[in-house]
Amino acid sequence: MIYIVYYVCVLLIVFISGIWLASIFGRGIFKDSKLVLSFLLGFLWLILVSSWSSFIGLTFERSSIYILGISIFLSLIALAWEIRTKNLSSWQPSKNIIMLVSLAFVSGIVILSPVLIFKAINLYNDAFTYLSISDYLLTHSYFDEARPDANSPWLTQMKLYQVMGYRMGSQFFLSLITAIFSRHFSLDLYISVLAIGQFMLVLAIWLFNKYVMKLSNVALTIIVLFTALHI
């Protein structure tokens, strides 16, 4: 059950972190989708700001509390402004939005099903790369040179990413969340963060197809159901 608790708590962190951005960008055609924007923009914000903090030389053990505090502070200011301008009612979700978020939540639970049912996950994939880099970033910044040796072969992954400049958004986010919950190993949060990714995918697919592709409600329903349940 701890994985579900992590899943729900991280969703709350992401949502709260995105309120101020949704307040800014949730206008015009997006005025009825502020709830969705809060999740998606909060997710993007945490990835960006966590990467910036690592690039300037901070470890997540040091910066995580400040990142979280700044995010909450900005969102409180945005909420105060919404209340002052009597615009808080624009945050009330429609029935369709509630159903969408609920479906996205269930889709994330499906990702958690291996640990919920079998108490195990499949790590025979690129999880090693994500976990080893995230663990490194807890106590090192991005530009702290990794020095793999016979005693620390797992540092080869961080070294590879530093030399090749591969994208690392997911590793920054996982390491940030691990630090927020004061865990020593990102494995503790790994499966819950995977579920967060699936949750965001469902919302992003809906948002893109509704506002960019401008698909009908029937087509939207089919695409979202397929994305949420065809894992």
Side-chain angles (χ1 to χ4, degrees), residues 44-214:
L44 292 175
W45 161 254
L46 291 177
I47 290 174
L48 284 174
V49 75
S50 62
S51 66
W52 296 338
S53 71
S54 188
F55 291 155
I56 65 174
L58 298 177
T59 69
F60 285 119
E61 286 189 347
R62 289 182 57 192
S63 66
S64 60
I65 188 66
Y66 298 107
I67 292 173
L68 182 61
I70 291 171
S71 301
I72 293 174
F73 178 70
L74 290 172
S75 290
L76 286 175
I77 292 176
L79 282 177
W81 177 257
E82 297 278 63
I83 294 173
R84 182 178 180 180
T85 57
K86 299 180 179 180
N87 199 35
L88 203 58
S89 59
S90 64
W91 286 86
Q92 185 173 351
S94 65
K95 183 187 299 184
N96 288 339
I97 294 295
I98 293 174
M99 291 176 63
L100 171 67
V101 173
S102 299
L103 182 61
F105 182 82
V106 171
S107 185
I109 294 294
V110 174
I111 295 293
L112 296 176
S113 59
V115 292
L116 298 178
I117 299 173
F118 304 107
K119 302 186 185 306
I121 57 175
N122 176 25
L123 292 177
Y124 294 96
N125 46 48
D126 57 355
F128 167 65
T129 296
Y130 291 99
L131 294 172
S132 61
I133 291 176
S134 298
D135 285 348
Y136 183 81
L137 293 173
L138 286 172
T139 54
H140 300 80
S141 72
Y142 175 82
F143 291 109
D144 289 338
E145 183 181 357
R147 301 179 183 275
D149 53 33
N151 293 320
S152 305
W154 58 277
L155 290 178
T156 55
Q157 302 306 294
M158 188 67 224
K159 182 67 174 180
L160 176 64
Y161 273 63
Q162 287 176 329
V163 172
M164 300 304 294
Y166 293 146
R167 62 183 184 273
M168 287 177 45
S170 55
Q171 289 97 319
F172 287 126
F173 181 76
L174 175 58
S175 190
L176 170 67
I177 295 301
T178 302
I180 287 175
F181 285 91
S182 300
R183 308 306 299 171
H184 296 296
F185 298 104
S186 54
L187 178 61
D188 294 337
L189 276 296
Y190 175 69
I191 189 68
S192 298
V193 168
L194 282 183
I196 296 294
Q198 177 62 24
F199 178 94
M200 297 302 164
L201 175 62
V202 174
L203 298 189
I205 289 293
W206 176 85
L207 195 71
F208 175 80
N209 284 284
K210 179 177 178 62
Y211 293 107
V212 178
M213 301 303 292
K214 301 185 185 301

